[in-house]
Amino acid sequence: MTDVTNAPARSDPRTRRNVAVLVGAQAILGSQMPMLFVVGGLVGNTLTPNPCLATLPISMIVFGSMTTAPWISPLMQRQGRRNGFIIGALAGALGAAIAGYGLYIGSFLMLLLGSYVSGIYMSAQGFYRFAAADGASEQFRPKAISYVMAGGLMSAIIGPQLNKLMFDFSVIPFLGSYVAIVVLNLVGLFLFFLLDLPNAAALAAAKTNDAVRSKLELLKTPRVAVAIICGMVSYALMNLVMTSTPLAVMGCGFEADSANDIVSAHVLAMFVPSFFTGHLINRFGVEKIVATGLVILGLAGVVALTGVTLANFFIALILLGLGWNFGFIGATTMLASAHTVSERGVVQGLNDSIVFGCVTLASLASGGLMNCSGGSAVEGWNAVNIAMIPFLTLAGGALIWLSLRPKQSV
């Protein structure tokens, strides 16, 4: 089979328009993710009867994303991306409203329910990058993915700063953040009406006669398997460390505003490199960029283990964001070239289910490691960062194995 996902270069002007819209969506709607990841652990810490479950609200967001991917990806394949993105935005508003109500009445279970519904938005947002690749030429595809991810640059600024403004909006701490997230979703969803994407009928007509491989066959395809492993490890480790960061920062005696600033720096580092990641992939090859990302993730853990000053937190989280960018965008680009257009819905849904399944486990483990693996915040923070080692070894080994195999077409 040949790679039929490559569209001719003349489709790139249309792709550029869609990329611009998706960048805006990433900036506006994406702002809710750093907000949720900061307040989720802090609110969970105040409502849960067990400190080991403080990060469970964040885990429920990721779990919601994992369980959404298997149905929202085929839905987009049948009915178009726009419908899936609108569903995601509405779910983001509903989830924040439920979680905010849970905070208002002091219900940890209601907070978890709202967090799960918010995960539907997180899943839909994950497909922005795939929508950017739809119809793009092979040369422009990694750049399109990178530019959409770069929209997170604005979300890195808007989200944490909006959190700061809304912390004291209500007499109930953090309730204002959930109100702001509802507004972001309801306003941001109108962006999707500006997309010029193929409708479901056009997508069906574009399909080839290529057979669609089963999920098991796809997972046995070396390039697909390695792309999923590297994406899974990059995202899960980023989540593992970032989820614990607000708890670690405040546990080491710093203020909540410092936690917001550190998360903001981290999210900036996640998305600023996206302006040139696609160019680097075209120049050096996707495997080298993914490998570089894994190395940088390892360096983040080393810096975190050397101390708990604000400088250590800032540097470690900046490296964590940069490593995620190279690792995850590289893995996404690798996956986009490893299947046919007929397999798109199956592969992308399978990928995000596995990736966010592991991210769910990472966020669950994060709270347990942080609060229940030692007698102090420092010991818990060290345990979180040491836990990165075996997974980096797995992804690095898989990448080396792939590089030693002969190149194969899709």
Side-chain angles (χ1 to χ4, degrees), residues 85 208 385:
F85 294 155
T208 69
N385 286 279

Side-chain angles (χ1 to χ4, degrees), residues 164 244-266 300 303-319 378 381:
K164 284 185 179 182
S244 287
T245 297
L247 297 176
V249 171
M250 295 184 69
C252 291
F254 302 107
E255 299 294 327
D257 281 352
S258 295
N260 266 306
D261 289 338
I262 290 167
V263 170
S264 183
H266 163 69
V303 172
L305 289 168
T306 59
V308 288
T309 66
L310 278 179
N312 283 95
F313 282 117
F314 270 106
I315 295 172
L317 269 293
I318 287 171
L319 289 173
V378 175
W381 181 239

Side-chain angles (χ1 to χ4, degrees), residues 22-32 148 151-156 158-159:
L22 292 167
V23 166
Q26 189 84 283
I28 296 173
L29 289 115
S31 299
Q32 66 190 286
V148 170
L153 172 62
M154 289 305 298
S155 71
I158 296 170

